[in-house]
Amino acid sequence: MNFNFINMQPYSNPQYFIYLLLALVPIIVGLYYGKRLKTYEAIFSLLFLFLIFDGDHWQEGVNLILYLVYEFIITFAYLRYRTKKGSPNKSWIFNLAVILAILPLTAVKILIQMPKGTVPFVVGFLGISYITFKNVQVIMETRDGVIKEIDPGTYARFLLFFPTISSGPIDRYRRFKQDFDKAPSREQYLDDLQMAVRYLFQGFLYKFILGWFFGTYLLPKISIAGLATGNAVGGLKLSWWVVAYMYVYTMYLFFDFAGYSLFAVAISYFMGIHTPMNFNKPFISKNIKDFWNRWHMTLSFWFRDYIYMRFTFFAMKKKLIKNRIRLSQVSYLLLFLIMGFWHGLTWYYIVYGLYHATAIIINDYWLRFKRKHKDKIPSNRFTQWFAIFLTFQVVCLGMLIFSGYLSQLWFGWK
């Protein structure tokens, strides 16, 4: 079977959805009658995964298979150690399991920065980050005793869940298993279908109309104008086109990624799986912390739960930093530095991480000051709208840094 006449990368074009929705029909009919066709779901997912890694991407498919074998060995070896009677809960074994689980992703992030032609083989595969996040989450919750057993078949479906494999949203194993182990009632599934259709059409509006308008139509024109005009300040070309680029890029990034996420959630709902939402009106955030509770939520919550909180508890237990305010600040710096490095080993991603860590630290200072002087600081509709406006400016400036456009404007930073 050769579908190379269209792009079979997930949610890449409207024609792709024709094949996807046709393949979903047996799953939809089965769930409507209260039956989950697990065998067909597995075949369906494997078929579309095969089409992703068909043709020129076959080496990525091989990498995915090898990666899964590697991660299964680590996860189930650690599960056996934790559930074996009388086995001590040694932290170094847990740390080793986490490091080994993250090692392939770390290697990929480093290798893809090598000069072109240096690495004689294809590294990584589509979705390696999000599968790694799922796997690390399971290891950590196994250590906590929250997960006491893992069904290999369910776990494989969880890691390879087709609608979310490439770019999330990031689900949690226990939540996924709860949905996967049973079929919803007819009333529940009719609600799921209603939400799936709504999210599907909203995704089309976001990605193929608004995302196209901001990203394909406007952004290239503004980018060229910004590079061609402006006054050099410290080697950086500055003009109003840069400001326009900042806002347009922010809109493009949101509508493109939010549209993709809506597609993933919609297809999940068609399959009776309640994959969590990734965005919740992020541009009405009243401060930068509120923004991160609304933007790319499954990633934000993953970093919060498995990096920020765990480092904070570890530092408190070891009494590394006694002052709780300083500890939270160090935790924020660590959190956003890791997030920056995860996006890529490029200067503007690192600066982006430091920028948001600094913004949250300043925001915390302001919130503490506001609580201390709440009788003197006005709180009304104007101040609330001003907070939203100011937060939006902070977010857009961060997106400008993230875009890498400044590296094109700044001579010498290519």
Side-chain angles (χ1 to χ4, degrees):
M1 185 180 297
N2 189 349
F3 285 82
N4 287 336
F5 56 90
I6 63 169
N7 185 355
M8 291 304 291
Q9 297 304 297
Y11 320 126
S12 55
N13 59 73
Q15 190 178 1
Y16 171 85
F17 288 87
I18 297 174
Y19 300 98
L20 180 59
L21 292 173
L22 285 174
L24 281 170
V25 169
I27 295 175
I28 294 171
V29 173
L31 289 173
Y32 179 79
Y33 287 102
K35 295 182 179 180
R36 183 173 290 282
L37 308 178
K38 292 187 176 182
T39 301
Y40 178 81
E41 286 185 22
I43 296 171
F44 161 80
S45 296
L46 289 174
L47 172 63
F48 275 85
L49 286 173
F50 171 78
L51 294 174
I52 291 174
F53 299 111
D54 190 17
D56 295 337
H57 300 280
W58 69 269
Q59 293 180 68
E60 291 186 42
V62 173
N63 291 344
L64 170 60
I65 295 171
L66 295 174
Y67 171 86
L68 286 174
V69 172
Y70 172 83
E71 294 290 358
F72 258 63
I73 292 172
I74 294 169
T75 301
F76 283 93
Y78 184 70
L79 175 67
R80 183 177 180 183
Y81 163 76
R82 285 292 290 126
T83 55
K84 187 177 180 181
K85 289 185 178 181
S87 62
N89 186 11
K90 294 183 178 180
S91 59
W92 73 266
I93 296 180
F94 163 72
N95 294 336
L96 179 62
V98 171
I99 291 171
L100 290 175
I102 297 175
L103 190 61
L105 176 60
T106 305
V108 167
K109 292 293 183 181
I110 293 172
L111 289 173
I112 60 177
Q113 296 298 322
M114 303 290 285
K116 194 172 182 179
T118 304
V119 181
F121 51 86
V122 174
V123 298
F125 54 86
L126 183 70
I128 184 172
S129 292
Y130 293 91
I131 297 178
T132 300
F133 291 150
K134 290 180 179 180
N135 199 64
V136 170
Q137 168 241 317
V138 168
I139 292 173
M140 289 188 172
E141 292 193 352
T142 301
R143 190 245 190 185
D144 296 340
V146 177
I147 294 177
K148 293 182 170 58
E149 60 179 358
I150 304 173
D151 174 68
T154 304
Y155 190 53
R157 289 181 171 92
F158 169 66
L159 294 180
L160 294 175
F161 188 53
F162 167 73
T164 64
I165 188 172
S166 60
S167 297
I170 307 170
D171 208 346
R172 305 293 173 96
Y173 176 73
R174 288 180 294 149
R175 201 220 59 75
F176 176 88
K177 186 176 185 299
Q178 187 176 9
D179 282 355
F180 184 76
D181 283 347
K182 68 182 190 317
S185 67
R186 180 169 295 183
E187 292 74 16
Q188 290 174 328
Y189 188 59
L190 287 174
D191 289 340
D192 287 350
L193 287 178
Q194 183 178 1
M195 297 304 295
V197 172
R198 173 189 167 185
Y199 292 147
L200 190 65
F201 279 96
Q202 189 178 352
F204 273 104
L205 171 64
Y206 277 21
K207 185 171 178 65
F208 294 122
I209 298 177
L210 296 174
W212 173 87
F213 174 73
F214 285 108
T216 304
Y217 180 75
L218 276 184
L219 201 62
K221 294 179 173 60
I222 294 173
S223 176
I224 294 170
L227 292 171
T229 62
N231 299 316
V233 179
L236 183 65
K237 278 189 176 180
L238 296 177
S239 70
W240 287 109
W241 288 112
V242 179
V243 178
Y245 186 96
M246 177 178 76
Y247 291 122
V248 171
Y249 179 80
T250 301
M251 291 298 100
Y252 157 68
L253 193 63
F254 168 71
F255 286 116
D256 185 75
F257 195 22
Y260 165 88
S261 297
L262 284 165
F263 289 146
V265 173
I267 302 307
S268 299
Y269 271 60
F270 278 124
M271 299 175 69
I273 303 293
H274 298 131
T275 293
M277 293 293 288
N278 236 355
F279 294 88
N280 179 24
K281 302 176 182 176
F283 298 137
I284 64 169
S285 304
K286 295 180 180 178
N287 57 59
I288 196 65
K289 188 177 290 186
D290 186 28
F291 170 78
W292 281 108
N293 286 329
R294 295 171 177 270
W295 177 274
H296 204 345
M297 294 184 293
T298 59
L299 179 68
S300 298
F301 297 160
W302 191 94
F303 273 89
R304 177 198 66 191
D305 294 344
Y306 300 111
I307 295 179
Y308 177 85
M309 296 300 296
R310 289 177 184 267
F311 173 78
T312 300
F313 289 145
F314 171 79
M316 289 175 62
K317 183 179 179 181
K318 299 296 183 180
K319 298 180 179 180
L320 299 178
I321 304 173
K322 295 182 180 180
N323 187 299
R324 293 199 172 189
I325 295 176
R326 297 291 175 268
L327 174 57
S328 68
Q329 292 170 349
V330 171
S331 298
Y332 282 132
L333 284 169
L334 176 67
L335 169 68
F336 283 99
L337 266 178
I338 292 175
M339 187 179 288
F341 278 110
W342 168 68
H343 279 104
L345 304 181
T346 308
W347 73 270
Y348 46 83
Y349 291 141
I350 311 306
V351 172
Y352 172 78
L354 291 172
Y355 171 82
H356 272 283
T358 304
I360 285 189
I361 290 171
I362 293 173
N363 179 71
D364 278 358
Y365 272 120
W366 165 246
L367 292 178
R368 286 193 297 272
F369 179 84
K370 190 177 177 181
R371 283 193 297 267
K372 188 176 180 181
H373 301 87
K374 59 183 178 180
D375 297 333
K376 299 179 181 179
I377 298 176
S379 178
N380 50 49
R381 184 173 294 182
F382 171 78
T383 58
Q384 290 175 1
W385 279 106
F386 180 74
I388 292 172
F389 171 79
L390 184 60
T391 301
F392 182 68
Q393 309 312 310
V394 172
V395 167
C396 289
L397 180 56
M399 295 303 182
L400 177 63
I401 296 170
F402 179 84
S403 71
Y405 186 58
L406 293 178
S407 70
Q408 299 177 52
L409 296 171
W410 206 323
F411 300 133
W413 292 91
K414 300 294 184 180

